[in-house]
Amino acid sequence: MNDGGSGGGRPKRADARRNEESLLEAAAALFVTSGVAVPVREVAARAGVGTATIYRHFPTRADLIIAVYRHQVEACAEAGPALLASAPTPYVALERWIDRFVDFLVTKHGLADVLRSDNAGFEALHAHFLDRLVPVCAQLLAAAAESGEIRSDVEALQLMRGVGNLCIGADDDPRYDARRLVALLVAGLRHTAR
Amino acid sequence: MNDGGSGGGRPKRADARRNEESLLEAAAALFVTSGVAVPVREVAARAGVGTATIYRHFPTRADLIIAVYRHQVEACAEAGPALLASAPTPYVALERWIDRFVDFLVTKHGLADVLRSDNAGFEALHAHFLDRLVPVCAQLLAAAAESGEIRSDVEALQLMRGVGNLCIGADDDPRYDARRLVALLVAGLRHTAR
DNA sequence: GAGCAACCGGAACACCGTCCCGTTTGACGA
DNA sequence: TCGTCAAACGGGACGGTGTTCCGGTTGCTC
């Protein structure tokens, strides 16, 4: 999104890059304490910039969220093939990868809440996250299907959205165990006992 | 909540009852077209009353939603025992009842979106809906567990919330099939093939 | 028909996201 | 080193939404 200044065509101004960094830092901190829906003004205030600046760097809230969690999503995506290689069976790899994805969602207050919506301007967020992760999930699903462990008529996108939805509200109600329900959902993929 | 006037202690004034009716009617209509998150002013305007009036009758949005859907929730609750009696096995009854619950959620735009939140003032809504439906669900679960069809370590509250969550955003994305995922979740309750 | 309390409507307030405009400041060439 | 100018900035203005307050109105009762 930005370039350090070495190669590119039109390097950003130094203060602009500094502000972008400040905003990312402030957002990351506030996301932890107040959730991803924290008011724009708060992020701007904490970063020591004006409200307009945040829009200049991150036109929508989704852009900010993407930027903050980009590397974590990347790590999750890369974990897919690794798990497939290391786990005893593809199904186990799928289980573990989904578990990791759940971890990612649950530890970010309210991330799942916002991941769901298509209607808002969150399509960008949706697009980025899913574009990166759905293929990984699809690979795991295909492997597990081919090994005969699970049914083959469920698409990765569906599964991911289902998992995402199940994680909504997971962190503000101790009686609700998202991980448990996700495990149930994944178990539902297996061929039923008959 | 109100009394027609026959039995009770302190009958409401006629205009108040008229307004409450108007509000319910307006809300029901707008919920269908604009979802349950329709602005308060719109409901008030359509009912031909002031904004304060809506707060007088329904202090929170949850109260309004409860009032609008009260009889449908009731019908759903009553369907539980009926299905248990008519279905071939308790598990099938559970399947059908859950399906009915999903119908209820999906046909109301955005109802599930709001059903999830504990943080807001939606606890009342949560409380009412769940208080009424969880016991029914628990009964079905217990019956299916006793007949040996499903595992017995999943609580009704968990299942209901999971189903509710899976229904979020079901009506604004044709590629997302909540019913399908819920079926998967319910299938996950069965004992795994080994 | 009069009095009173319940009730009403709309304006006022608070909060949030978004956009605009006058000002500042970093980068670069002279 | 210094002047120039576009990029970037900040804070305030705007529109929309939920919530509350207050003066006026209206139904009920005696």
Side-chain angles (χ1 to χ4, degrees):
Chain A
M1 190 168 274
N2 66 7
D3 43 81
S6 57
R10 27 140 230 264
K12 274 186 174 177
R13 255 170 56 169
D15 56 343
R17 234 171 325 124
R18 222 179 314 134
N19 278 335
E20 189 171 319
E21 186 113 356
S22 298
L23 280 169
L24 279 177
E25 198 172 322
L30 288 174
F31 283 1
V32 172
T33 61
S34 310
V36 294
V38 62
V40 176
R41 279 170 175 77
E42 270 184 52
V43 179
R46 171 148 185 157
V49 303
T51 53
T53 300
I54 203 171
Y55 283 98
R56 233 168 268 123
H57 288 285
F58 308 101
T60 75
R61 180 180 297 273
D63 295 316
L64 181 58
I65 296 175
I66 289 174
V68 168
Y69 292 130
R70 165 162 301 196
H71 48 300
Q72 298 196 34
V73 171
E74 199 57 31
C76 186
E78 286 169 3
L83 284 171
L84 198 51
S86 67
T89 80
Y91 178 75
V92 173
L94 176 65
E95 275 184 325
R96 291 184 185 165
W97 185 76
I98 293 283
D99 207 52
R100 178 176 180 142
F101 180 53
V102 171
D103 266 335
F104 171 64
L105 289 180
V106 169
T107 54
K108 320 288 170 264
H109 300 226
L111 214 201
D113 298 35
V114 88
L115 191 63
R116 56 154 196 85
S117 85
D118 299 273
N119 39 20
F122 293 109
E123 284 185 30
L125 187 148
H126 225 82
H128 175 76
F129 277 39
L130 293 185
D131 281 0
R132 188 68 186 92
L133 296 180
V134 162
V136 177
C137 182
Q139 187 187 355
L140 289 162
L141 273 178
E146 197 168 348
S147 77
E149 293 174 289
I150 64 167
R151 53 205 295 177
S152 55
D153 60 350
V154 175
E155 290 179 20
L157 176 65
Q158 291 268 335
L159 181 60
M160 296 281 297
R161 291 207 43 184
V163 172
N165 272 4
L166 284 178
C167 290
I168 292 177
D171 56 325
D172 41 42
D173 186 353
R175 296 171 308 177
Y176 182 71
D177 186 353
R179 228 173 296 265
R180 189 96 194 287
L181 287 167
V182 169
L184 238 47
L185 183 65
V186 174
L189 292 172
R190 306 197 72 154
H191 297 117
T192 331
R194 285 240 170 240
Chain B
M1 190 168 273
N2 66 6
D3 43 82
S6 55
R10 28 144 230 259
K12 272 186 173 177
R13 252 169 59 168
D15 55 345
R17 229 169 333 120
R18 221 179 314 134
N19 278 335
E20 188 171 319
E21 186 111 358
S22 297
L23 280 170
L24 279 177
E25 198 171 323
L30 287 175
F31 283 0
V32 172
T33 61
S34 311
V36 295
V38 62
V40 177
R41 280 171 175 77
E42 270 184 51
V43 179
R46 170 148 186 157
V49 303
T51 54
T53 301
I54 202 172
Y55 283 98
R56 234 167 267 123
H57 289 284
F58 308 101
T60 76
R61 180 180 298 273
D63 294 315
L64 181 58
I65 297 174
I66 289 174
V68 168
Y69 292 130
R70 165 162 300 198
H71 49 299
Q72 298 196 35
V73 171
E74 200 57 33
C76 186
E78 286 169 1
L83 284 171
L84 198 50
S86 67
T89 80
Y91 177 75
V92 174
L94 177 66
E95 275 184 326
R96 289 183 185 166
W97 186 76
I98 293 283
D99 207 53
R100 178 174 181 144
F101 181 53
V102 171
D103 265 336
F104 171 63
L105 289 179
V106 169
T107 54
K108 320 286 171 268
H109 299 226
L111 214 201
D113 299 53
V114 90
L115 191 62
R116 57 154 195 87
S117 85
D118 299 274
N119 39 21
F122 293 110
E123 285 184 29
L125 187 149
H126 225 80
H128 175 75
F129 276 40
L130 293 186
D131 280 0
R132 188 67 187 92
L133 297 180
V134 161
V136 177
C137 182
Q139 187 186 354
L140 288 162
L141 273 179
E146 196 167 348
S147 77
E149 292 174 289
I150 63 167
R151 54 204 295 175
S152 55
D153 59 349
V154 175
E155 289 178 21
L157 177 65
Q158 291 269 334
L159 181 60
M160 297 282 296
R161 290 207 44 185
V163 172
N165 271 4
L166 284 178
C167 290
I168 293 177
D171 55 326
D172 41 41
D173 185 353
R175 296 170 309 176
Y176 182 72
D177 187 352
R179 229 174 295 266
R180 188 95 193 288
L181 287 168
V182 169
L184 237 46
L185 182 66
V186 174
L189 291 173
R190 307 197 72 153
H191 296 118
T192 332
R194 284 238 171 243

